Amino acid sequence: MTENSQAQPAANPELPTQYAPAEVEGKLYERWVERGYFEADEKSGKPPYTIVIPPPNVTGSLHLGHAFEHTIIDALTRRKRMQGYETLWQPGMDHAGIATQNVVERELAKEGKSRHDLGRTDFVERVWQWKEESGGQISGQMRRLGDGVAWSRERFTMDEGLSAAVQTIFKRLFDDGLIYRAERIINWCPRCLTAISDIEVEYQDDNGELVSITYGDGDETLVVATTRAETMLGDTAVAVHPDDARYTHLVGRRIKLPLTDRTIPVVADEHVDPEFGTGAVKVTPAHDPNDFEIGRRHDLPNITVMDERAVITVPGPFQGLDRFEARSTIVAALRAEGRIVAEKRPYVHSVGHCSRCKTTVEPRLSLQWWVKVGPLAKAAGDAVRDGRVTIHPKEMESRYFAWIDNLNDWNISRQLWWGHRIPVWHGPNGETVAVGPNDEPPTGEGWSQDTDVLDTWFSSGLWPFSTLGWPEQTPSLEKFYPNSVLVTGYDILFFWVARMMMFGLYAMDGTPPFHTIALHGMVRDEHGKKMSKTFGNVVNPLDWMDKYGADAVRFTLARGANPGVDVPIGEDWVQGSRNFANKIWNATRFAMMNGATVEGPLPDAAQMSATDRWILSRLNETVAQVDALYEDYQFAKLSDALFHFAWDEVFDWYVELSKTTFFAGGEQAKVSGRVLGEVLDVTLRLLHPIVPFVTETLWTTLTGKESVVVADWPADSGFRDQAAEREIEHLQQVVTEVRRFRADQGLQPGQKVPGRLDLSATPLAAHEAAIRQLLRLQEEGDAFQATATLPVAGATVALDLSGTIDVPAERKRLTKDRDAAEKEKQQATAKLGNEAFLAKAPDNVVDKIRGRLAKAEADIERLTAQLAALPEG
C-alpha cells in the first residue's frame, strides 16, 4: 500500500477547525490544471485508458444529469490515472444544429429580424459569434464539479478538424453506395422547419377526435375513419383488404372524394386490417409513412397539401388555414354535406412531438439524404454478439439488439443553415458530386452546393476517432483508439451509441469505437419523478455545490449510481454527504493531532495490537472489494462500502478504540499512530476519485506529498487477520448491546454511570480501558450498587443506575412492550401454522410474516434480558 509519488517538502500539518469547500475547491482545481495532471501524452509507454465526454450542447448548462454522468467518468479516469494508465478524458461540445439555430433566431427576433434578412453566410457568422460569446458556459461548470478532462484537447463538432472528418466519411459512404438521395416520408417539425429523425420524436397521448366519413355516392360508398381530417385533401385512394367481401365489388372502381372535384380508386392491399374500424382506410401517400408504401405498391400519385409551416396549400376554401384550423373547418363542411356518420371526442391517441420544441410533428413527403444502414447496423450488432464490445449491464443488450436489428435507413439531412453543410454539388444536368476535404468542388454555370446540413448525430457519431485527428493517422489516434469505455445514459443508446458503433466499425476497418458501453439511468427527484420544468422539480447542481460543496454533490450522485437504473436524489441526501465530508475532515484532523503519521514502514504485526491488526485486515478487504466493484461499474455499492468503512470502522471504531492508547503515550501509541496514518493514507486515496477536493487537502497535509491526483492507487497487500477481526467483532457486540440497553433506559450517549466489567470469559481483557471509554463507565467506587447486570457475549456488565431511572416505570414500559411482542409472535405463528393460508398466500406475503415472527422473537429475548437486568422494586 505504499505510495510512490515524489515526496515534497512537508506541508503545514495545521488544518482549519472546519472544512470550507468554497475556499479550497476552485484553487485546487486550477492547480491541478496548471500542473497538467489531466493531460494525456501519446508518447508515454503507459497503457492507454480513454473515455470521451458525451459532448454537451453548446447551448447547454450543467444539469444534474450531466453532473451524475461526469461524476462517474471522472471517478473512473482518476482511478486509472492513479493505477498508472495514460489516461485521456476527451472533452468537447456539440454544435447542436436545431437547438443552436433556434437560440440565435430568437435573438434576431428581438431585433425584428429573421435569418432570411441576414442571408445564409451572415447568419452562420452570427451563430459563430454567439458561440464564442455565450456558448459553452458548461465548461466553467465542469471545472466547478472537478472534471479531470484534458482541456488542451477540447474539440467542437464544427471545428476544422472535425469538419474534415465529416466530409471524409460522407464521401466514402457516398462512393460506397451507402448514402443516397430519395423522396420518403419524414418527420417534419413545422416550428423548427426541418426534418427530424424517428428517435427525435417524442410520443404522448393527446386528446384528439376520430371522425367517420362517407366517401363516394350512391351504391359506391364506404366509410373511413381518421384523426387527421385535413389530410383528406391529399387522398389518392381508399384501401381495403383483398379478402374483405364487403368491398370486393368496389375494388378497381373510382369513387368521389368529398369536398373536391376528384375521384379516387379503391385498391386492395394486405396492409389493411379488415377487423379494425370499417375495414377501409383513406390513403394519403404524401402525409403518412404507411400510406406512402401503399402508394408505391399501387403507383398512386403523391399530393402534398401543406407547406413547411403546416398551412394548407390546396386551392379552394381551405387554402391558407393552419392544419388544426383546417381540421375543424373541414369536419364542419363534411357535416354540412351529411358525410359525417360518427364523431368521437375526446379521442385519446398517441401523437408525435418534436423533442426540442414540443410541436406536433407532421409526416411529410420530402426529398432527403439517407444512409443505407443495413450493412452498418449488421456490423454494429455483430460486434456485441461476438464479444468485441460489452454492454453493461448485460440486460440492456436486448434493447440494443431490438433497435440495431430493425433499424430503418437514416435520414441525415436537415433544412437548417447551422451545421455541416452537405458536401455535395449539383450540376446543371442533374449531376451529383460528393466532395472530400481535399477535393476542389466543381465550378461553372449551374453548379451549386446542396443547401441542407447534416443531422447533428452524424458528426457526433464520429466523436471517438474524429477528436483524435482522424482521418489523419495521428499518434493520438494510434494510442487512444479504441476508447476503453463509453459511459452514457440508456436514453441515448439509440441516438448516439448506435451511430458511433456503425461509423467506428466502418471508418476504422472493423475496430469498434470502445470495448465497453456502460449505461446508467436518469436522475430523478427524491420521489422518483422525472425532473422537468413543468413539474417544477428541476435542480441546478451549482446551487447545491454552493451550499454543500462539489464533493457532497458528487458523493450523493455516485452513491445512487446502480448500472442502468434511474437515480432518485433529494437535498437531504446531499446534506448527508456534506456531513460525511465533514466527518472525514474532523476525524483526519483529530488523528493528525494525536500521532497519525506516514513516516517509515509499517511495524511488524507482532508489535501491533489486535485493534491495529483488525483495521489493517479490514482495510485490505475494502481495497479488494472496491476494486472488484469498480471493474463491474457498481458505483452505488463501492460508494456505500467506502462510506461504511470510513465512517463506521475507521472513525467510529478504530479511532475511538485507539484514543486510550494515544492518551497513554509510549511505544504502543507510536505503533498505532503509524497504523492510523496508513489507514488514513489509503482511505483518502480510495475516496479520492469520488470526493477529490476534501481528499486532496487532507492527503497532501497528512503526507506532505505533491498531490493525491498522481498518487498510486492502493493495492491489497494480502494482509488478513481473521482472529483479530473476530476479537474486535466480539468487542463491538459487547459495546453495541450495552449501548442499546443504555439508550433503552433513557441515558444520554455521553452520560457517565458507575460500572463493573467482567471480561474473564472473553479474549477482551486487553480492551477494558477502551470498552470503559466507549461505554462511558466510571470506576465502581465504595458506594457502587449493581442495579442492572447484563450478560453480553460472554462478558458481564454491571451498572449502577440508582438515581438515573425510575425503575417501576421502566419495568412497566418494558413489560408492556414484551406483551405486545408476545401477541405479535402468537399472531404470526398462527398464520404460519395455517396450511390453507400458506397454500393461497403469495410468497412475498409469507416471507413478510416470517420476518415479523423473527423480529418478535428477537424483541422478546431483548426485552426479557432488560427486565432481568433491572433491580427489584
Side-chain angles (χ1 to χ4, degrees), residues 49 52 68 126 143 181 226 233 235 262 339 362 388 431 439 605 620 658 667 692 699 704 731 764 826 873:
Y49 186 81
V52 294
F68 173 57
R126 179 71 175 261
R143 292 171 181 264
R181 197 180 191 212
T226 181
L233 300 176
D235 286 358
R262 292 192 291 119
R339 289 187 176 273
E362 192 64 41
R388 282 175 289 157
E431 304 96 329
D439 299 335
N620 279 286
S658 301
E667 286 302 315
W699 188 86
L731 180 152
L764 304 179
Q826 291 171 6

Side-chain angles (χ1 to χ4, degrees), residues 307-319:
D307 66 12
E308 61 182 8
R309 298 183 185 276
V311 172
I312 301 298
T313 57
V314 178
F318 311 111
Q319 186 174 13

Side-chain angles (χ1 to χ4, degrees), residues 110-158:
K110 295 176 183 177
E111 303 171 14
K113 298 178 182 178
S114 74
R115 60 182 164 121
H116 300 285
D117 294 324
L118 272 67
R120 183 168 194 145
T121 301
D122 288 346
F123 176 77
V124 171
E125 179 59 35
R126 179 71 175 261
V127 181
W128 275 107
Q129 180 183 341
W130 176 89
K131 185 260 180 185
E132 295 303 320
E133 294 175 356
S134 306
Q137 62 174 312
I138 203 167
S139 295
Q141 295 165 340
M142 287 167 60
R143 292 171 181 264
R144 283 287 313 277
L145 189 64
D147 287 1
V149 299
W151 287 113
S152 68
R153 293 172 175 263
E154 188 174 11
R155 304 303 298 269
F156 180 56
T157 50
M158 281 186 61

